[in-house]
Amino acid sequence: MKRVRERLATEAGAPDPRQHQYATVVVLAVVAASTVGWAFGLAAPTLLAGLTTAFALVGAGGQSLRADLHRFSWFVPALVLVMTGGPLLMHVPLLAGLLVSAVVFGAGMLPAMGERSRIAGQTFAAATLMSTTTGIGSNQPALVLFGAAVTGALFALLLRVVIGLGDPTRSTRAVVASTLTEPGPGVIEHAALAWRGDNAAGTWLEQVLAGAARFRAARETMLAQAQRVDHAGAERLRRIVAEADVVAAELAKAVRASACIGLPSLARVDPAESVLRRDGSQDMPDAARGINEGLDRIRAAVIERDVTMAPRVRGGRLRSARAAVRAHLSLRSSLFRHALRCTLAVGAGMVIVLLLQDPSVSTLLLSLYVVLQPAARDSMTGALERTGGVVLGVAALAILITLLPGAFLLVPVAITTMLLRAELLRSDYRILLGSLIAVTVVTQAMMLQRSLIDAAIGFAANTAIGAAIALIIGYIGYLVLPGSLVPDVAGTVRATVRSISELLHGVRDTDRGADLWQRLRPANILALRRTQDLLGMPALLDGTGDTPDDARPTRAAAVALEALRQDLAILASQPAEEQAIAMPALRAVDDLLGGRTVTEVPDIPDGGAPATELLASSLLENALHARVAIDETLGYDDPWKSYTLSFVRTEHLRIQ
């Protein structure tokens, strides 16, 4: 009960009545729908409606009400069509196979567009597999299927409005507040993307982001300085950072709050002054100025709370989509290669499903997709472990269903759990697929009316067939398609840093003009491909015998370098006067990527556009994170040493 109360509480600790309303509506609706479906023989349409609701909440939820409703406007109509047409395509095998293959390939490529696109694409792929291959609703008229899908979609919309209508921007404020409490690369970019998707949240959050970026850049600079001074000086700098983190945590509470009538005394503390006063020292570190400037800007924004709607920036998503297509529609892209492997394996499994026409084979494609791990770029590591887990899990579930009286109640319980834990399904694709496999096994086991032995053997055998197809085609793909089973971490890191540096030099040194972005497009496309390759490297390291810590610096370097690329791409599209604000930060980033140290926070002029000041500070923070992660990845025992190498040009490279 304690964990349940925690789930139903706000971040401030007070019970959230809308969370209770949400849970109550879900439970009552599932009970009512199950009763109606059982009484009138509409079990399949009712299940289809419940699955549509779950898919809509997982694929189109997770952000502010405004952003989620915008995503609902294009995701849910496509979902309704596939949930309606999928069961009907069971009678048209060729179209069913083409649809599933196209959706799986597209979902495999969407991680290049960001985390939200990845979640939407993979949820849509799961919905396509579920509706097309399980046979649920295949004996129903098209109008009944359409009505069930529309009902499920409208119920999902109702649930989203219920949970967000009272405080539509709560999610955006929480994400922005996380920039003050969560260390690591890419946090600012994630929060800025959430804020841009919810321009109704007000321009005060943009000021908070700019201040948080300034604070985080100065904080990382101070931590870097702590590694290059004596023990007493390092201890003093770390205490200043710890004190600043306490102040930032108090400010984060004020940012998350829906209103602010004043700041607590702890949020108004000068962290450097309080530490130096206790030590009796007058030597103020240079980075302390950046920390104070960032915190002061956040304090002013929180108190004033300018709720003016920010203008929506148009064209950025389309430009990013074009760059992603050009970067990854090539066999040189690890993302493209893995999407192609997934498509080939699913296509082979689809042929078997359509040929056998046996309901017990319905788990084949879902288990195949779990083994393929489509979210992991260019990776088949851990496939054997996933294979064993899926086969044993399906066999155990089939036996449980056969032995358990009233097993049909497991279906509404599973749907209720999926609706209440949509955030968990959104965060881990394997849990979503596992839930769908459980619903499918329960539904089909009750329909088949087979003996215990037959049911267990049938589902386990078909699940094993799907896993075997994934393993065979996945590993054969490495022999046919370019790629390597042995990850070259150091080589990938060097190639990524070189591509980012070339893009940085283009932004710095290219003559300004309207066609600046056109001239930088090739460099951005190459950097996009390299960062995506590096982002997939941790998945290759999993299961290679290395410890989890071996993949951690690689993951940190990948996230930091991809965040750098995003910042540089956005900066290149800004007016020349705004780009000038970021020039000091660009020079510092160039030094960091070239192996030279940066001892102070670059002077970023005030008074410019907050978005550009945010970019400038974020560039420096991500470069500092990347520098630490690169040193650790390449095995340097003494970080922040001044060594003579350059990642920027091949002829200066001194690493063998």
Side-chain angles (χ1 to χ4, degrees):
M1 289 300 297
K2 180 180 179 181
R3 298 187 64 180
V4 172
R5 284 193 294 270
E6 290 175 354
R7 293 286 301 173
L8 298 177
T10 63
E11 296 186 29
D16 184 2
R18 293 199 174 271
Q19 290 282 359
H20 290 283
Q21 293 173 10
Y22 177 87
T24 302
V25 170
V26 166
V27 173
L28 292 178
V30 171
V31 171
S34 300
T35 303
V36 172
W38 175 78
F40 294 96
L42 298 174
T46 302
L47 176 57
L48 196 70
L51 290 172
T52 303
T53 303
F55 288 134
L57 291 175
V58 173
Q63 291 186 302
S64 67
L65 180 60
R66 186 185 183 91
D68 286 353
L69 291 180
H70 175 71
R71 196 174 298 108
F72 262 74
S73 66
W74 59 264
F75 180 82
V76 171
L79 178 64
V80 168
L81 288 178
V82 79
M83 296 300 288
T84 302
L88 300 177
L89 289 179
M90 288 290 292
H91 308 294
V92 190
L94 180 60
L95 289 180
L98 291 176
L99 173 65
V100 170
S101 299
V103 169
V104 167
F105 179 77
M109 296 295 292
L110 279 177
M113 291 296 297
E115 182 67 9
R116 299 305 312 174
S117 297
R118 179 192 67 80
I119 292 173
Q122 291 185 352
T123 304
F124 190 76
T128 304
L129 291 173
M130 191 74 181
S131 64
T132 307
T133 64
T134 60
I136 297 175
S138 59
N139 59 344
Q140 298 291 327
L143 189 60
V144 173
L145 295 175
F146 180 73
V150 169
T151 301
L154 292 177
F155 184 56
L157 180 62
L158 173 65
L159 291 176
R160 185 60 191 92
V161 171
V162 164
I163 200 66
L165 190 59
D167 191 358
T169 63
R170 178 185 175 191
S171 175
T172 304
R173 296 197 311 272
V175 174
V176 172
S178 68
T179 61
L180 298 172
T181 57
E182 294 183 13
V187 178
I188 286 288
E189 285 71 23
H190 175 66
L193 184 63
W195 175 79
R196 294 188 194 105
D198 183 23
N199 59 342
T203 56
W204 73 278
L205 286 180
E206 185 180 25
Q207 296 290 343
V208 171
L209 283 171
R214 181 73 166 170
F215 163 75
R216 292 169 68 92
R219 179 185 183 277
E220 293 303 320
T221 301
M222 187 171 289
L223 290 176
Q225 292 172 348
Q227 300 184 52
R228 305 177 63 247
V229 298
D230 57 47
H231 177 73
E235 185 63 25
R236 183 182 303 113
L237 293 177
R238 292 192 180 99
R239 289 207 308 274
I240 293 176
V241 169
E243 189 75 19
D245 287 344
V246 173
V247 176
E250 288 297 316
L251 287 174
K253 295 178 182 178
V255 173
R256 284 192 292 265
S258 57
C260 180
I261 58 175
L263 295 174
S265 58
L266 190 56
R268 299 192 296 268
V269 171
D270 183 330
E273 182 180 344
S274 64
V275 171
L276 296 178
R277 186 171 58 248
R278 288 195 298 267
D279 291 350
S281 173
Q282 300 298 322
D283 187 14
M284 179 72 73
D286 294 334
R289 179 173 60 88
I291 289 178
N292 289 332
E293 289 175 353
L295 294 177
D296 287 341
R297 188 166 193 166
I298 296 169
R299 294 183 186 107
V302 169
I303 294 175
E304 295 172 4
R305 296 224 169 196
D306 183 0
V307 295
T308 304
M309 184 178 294
R312 183 177 293 276
V313 179
R314 300 188 181 277
R317 294 287 296 176
L318 181 60
R319 184 169 59 240
S320 299
R322 289 173 177 171
V325 169
R326 295 190 179 192
H328 294 292
L329 279 183
S330 168
L331 286 175
R332 289 176 293 179
S333 167
S334 64
L335 196 64
F336 179 85
R337 293 194 298 267
H338 194 57
L340 194 56
R341 292 187 193 102
C342 291
T343 304
L344 293 174
V346 169
M350 192 70 186
V351 171
I352 296 176
V353 169
L354 296 175
L355 287 177
L356 293 180
Q357 292 292 325
D358 182 358
S360 66
V361 82
S362 54
T363 58
L364 188 151
L365 274 180
L366 291 173
S367 60
L368 181 151
Y369 216 45
V370 172
V371 173
L372 284 173
Q373 197 176 1
R377 304 161 178 85
D378 217 10
S379 171
M380 284 296 292
T381 56
L384 290 176
E385 290 84 351
R386 292 192 296 275
T387 298
V390 169
V391 173
L392 292 177
V394 169
L397 183 59
I399 295 173
L400 178 64
I401 293 167
T402 309
L403 294 176
L404 187 66
F408 64 92
L409 293 176
L410 292 177
V411 174
V413 169
I415 295 296
T416 303
T417 304
M418 292 175 68
L419 296 179
L420 292 178
R421 302 305 300 272
E423 184 64 35
L424 179 61
L425 302 181
R426 194 180 298 121
S427 63
D428 194 332
Y429 192 55
R430 293 170 299 180
I431 298 178
L432 174 61
L433 290 176
S435 302
L436 297 178
I437 290 174
V439 170
T440 303
V441 171
V442 173
T443 304
Q444 299 295 355
M446 292 187 300
M447 292 172 54
L448 293 174
Q449 296 296 322
R450 291 179 180 174
S451 66
L452 169 63
I453 300 298
D454 288 344
I457 292 177
F459 283 111
N462 288 309
T463 303
I465 291 173
I469 293 173
L471 291 172
I472 293 170
I473 294 185
Y475 284 116
I476 288 178
Y478 283 102
L479 303 178
V480 177
L481 301 174
S484 175
L485 286 170
V486 180
D488 180 14
V489 177
T492 305
V493 168
R494 295 171 190 139
T496 305
V497 175
R498 282 197 296 269
S499 65
I500 294 293
S501 296
E502 292 299 335
L503 179 60
L504 185 150
H505 286 170
V507 176
R508 275 190 58 188
D509 304 333
T510 304
D511 293 335
R512 306 297 163 196
D515 60 342
L516 173 61
W517 175 251
Q518 299 294 330
R519 295 196 297 271
L520 292 179
R521 181 181 294 169
N524 180 58
I525 289 174
L526 179 60
L528 176 59
R529 183 184 299 158
R530 293 286 183 261
T531 54
Q532 290 295 325
D533 289 346
L534 190 59
L535 283 168
M537 196 61 63
L540 286 170
L541 294 175
D542 292 340
T544 59
D546 298 328
T547 63
D549 289 341
D550 295 326
R552 183 188 55 79
T554 305
R555 184 177 290 106
V559 173
L561 291 171
E562 169 59 14
L564 271 177
R565 186 204 63 78
Q566 293 177 21
D567 291 341
L568 290 170
I570 296 174
L571 185 63
S573 63
Q574 301 299 310
E577 58 273 15
E578 297 296 338
Q579 292 177 0
I581 297 175
M583 282 300 133
L586 289 176
R587 287 190 289 269
V589 172
D590 195 11
D591 288 341
L592 285 166
L593 294 183
R596 296 177 292 276
T597 58
V598 171
T599 58
E600 60 184 20
V601 181
D603 184 23
I604 301 174
D606 295 329
T612 307
E613 296 178 37
L614 184 156
L615 284 174
S617 298
S618 181
L619 281 167
L620 178 60
E621 183 209 352
N622 287 313
L624 288 163
H625 284 300
R627 172 67 184 274
V628 173
I630 290 168
D631 284 345
E632 191 173 351
T633 300
L634 298 181
Y636 296 120
D637 297 327
D638 184 14
W640 299 105
K641 63 183 179 181
S642 181
Y643 46 83
T644 57
L645 69 93
S646 173
F647 284 109
V648 179
R649 296 177 179 85
T650 306
E651 61 268 22
H652 293 161
L653 199 60
R654 294 293 181 265
I655 299 178
Q656 300 298 328

